[in-house]
Amino acid sequence: MTSAYMNELEKWLRTHANTENAPSMEAYMKNHFPFLGIRNPERVALTKQFTKEHGFPKGEEAVRVAQELWRLPEREFHYTALLMLIQVRKTVPAEHIQALEQFVVTNSWWDSVDTIADHLIGYHLQRFPDLIPSYVEKWLASNNMWLQRTAILFQLKYKKKTDVPLLFHCISVMADSKEFFIRKAIGWALREYSKTDAAAVQSFVASTALSPLSVREALKVIDKKLAEN
């Protein structure tokens, strides 16, 4: 049974659906999800307008509303769910990691998984670092590509706080993956960390058997700087 708050929010967004926009938005996401046709800036503005009038759910209530939104088919509801989760990420308890895992493995595609990995799980594991060893190893061993991608990407914003041995371990475990989204994630994670320690990334890339895609992505920033000098 859905909450009255969620029902009102669903109704509000559906009234602003744009059938002209929907086909191109669906095509961009490889037709994995139906869309209402509400582009991102308008959706964010509509959500702000709604919460200004109806308030913003807090804590576990916000998580429940997000889960209800996640069960709806259209992708805009999923984006709105993630916005809600980001709003309450400072207050959720350690066990919230279990809910975040479920968001990763359902309605999975790069747009949602990357937001969860970076803005939600990455943030959560900084708050509760004791969770990192067991969960990261579980994700790597899961055979779920999206959990594996999360293990590689959750430290994207850590910069100098990056656990470098862990980052390199995650990449080494997944280095022989044939999955495009894993290879791309490896390159992305290394590229981001190269902004903090280019030498460490260069050394790791030189000593590790990575796909050409991963190497190309990993060295983009480094190669650009070399070309400029």
Side-chain angles (χ1 to χ4, degrees):
M1 185 174 178
T2 57
S3 64
Y5 184 97
M6 204 288 292
N7 287 335
E8 287 300 314
L9 178 53
E10 178 187 1
K11 191 187 304 180
W12 170 250
L13 290 176
R14 287 196 186 281
T15 60
H16 293 84
N18 185 323
T19 55
E20 290 185 6
N21 290 340
S24 62
M25 296 172 76
E26 291 167 4
Y28 182 68
M29 287 298 160
K30 307 293 186 185
N31 295 302
H32 281 281
F33 310 97
F35 276 76
L36 296 172
I38 307 173
R39 299 201 184 279
N40 188 59
E42 184 187 0
R43 178 183 53 78
V44 172
L46 287 169
T47 305
K48 284 182 180 178
Q49 190 176 343
F50 180 88
T51 55
K52 188 175 181 180
E53 181 179 344
H54 296 269
F56 206 103
K58 294 181 171 57
E60 287 304 307
E61 183 190 355
V63 177
R64 283 194 297 273
V65 171
Q67 289 168 331
E68 291 169 352
L69 288 167
W70 207 252
R71 288 193 282 269
L72 295 172
E74 291 87 359
R75 198 58 164 166
E76 288 91 341
F77 295 120
H78 307 161
Y79 297 150
T80 304
L82 296 179
L83 186 68
M84 294 212 153
L85 293 172
I86 289 170
Q87 288 293 321
V88 298
R89 65 182 183 172
K90 295 180 180 179
T91 60
V92 290
E95 56 267 26
H96 180 62
I97 190 67
Q98 297 166 18
L100 293 177
E101 277 187 319
Q102 284 304 304
F103 284 108
V104 170
V105 299
T106 53
N107 295 323
S108 307
W109 196 237
W110 63 264
D111 55 335
S112 59
V113 171
D114 292 358
T115 299
I116 298 164
D118 185 359
H119 298 283
L120 291 168
I121 286 179
Y123 188 92
H124 194 72
L125 293 181
Q126 280 192 310
R127 290 183 63 217
F128 303 103
D130 290 349
L131 297 173
I132 291 174
S134 59
Y135 274 90
V136 170
E137 288 304 323
K138 182 175 77 165
W139 297 337
L140 290 172
S142 67
N143 291 322
N144 182 292
M145 176 180 68
W146 300 112
L147 287 174
Q148 292 168 336
R149 184 172 166 100
T150 297
I152 295 166
L153 294 179
F154 81 91
Q155 296 191 84
L156 271 181
K157 284 190 166 61
Y158 284 20
K159 298 181 180 178
K160 289 183 178 179
K161 294 181 180 179
T162 299
D163 182 335
V164 182
L166 177 61
L167 173 63
F168 289 170
H169 166 69
C170 291
I171 291 170
S172 296
V173 169
M174 301 306 304
D176 62 352
S177 173
K178 301 295 189 292
E179 292 285 356
F180 169 82
F181 286 110
I182 296 298
R183 291 180 168 190
K184 191 82 170 178
I186 288 171
W188 185 14
L190 290 171
R191 184 173 73 248
E192 280 303 302
Y193 189 62
S194 77
K195 299 172 186 176
T196 299
D197 190 342
V201 170
Q202 284 177 304
S203 176
F204 178 76
V205 169
S207 62
T208 309
L210 299 173
S211 72
L213 170 62
S214 296
V215 172
R216 188 167 61 250
E217 291 291 325
L219 299 179
K220 268 185 179 177
V221 171
I222 294 170
D223 289 344
K224 184 179 179 183
K225 287 183 178 178
L226 289 172
E228 290 171 350
N229 294 331

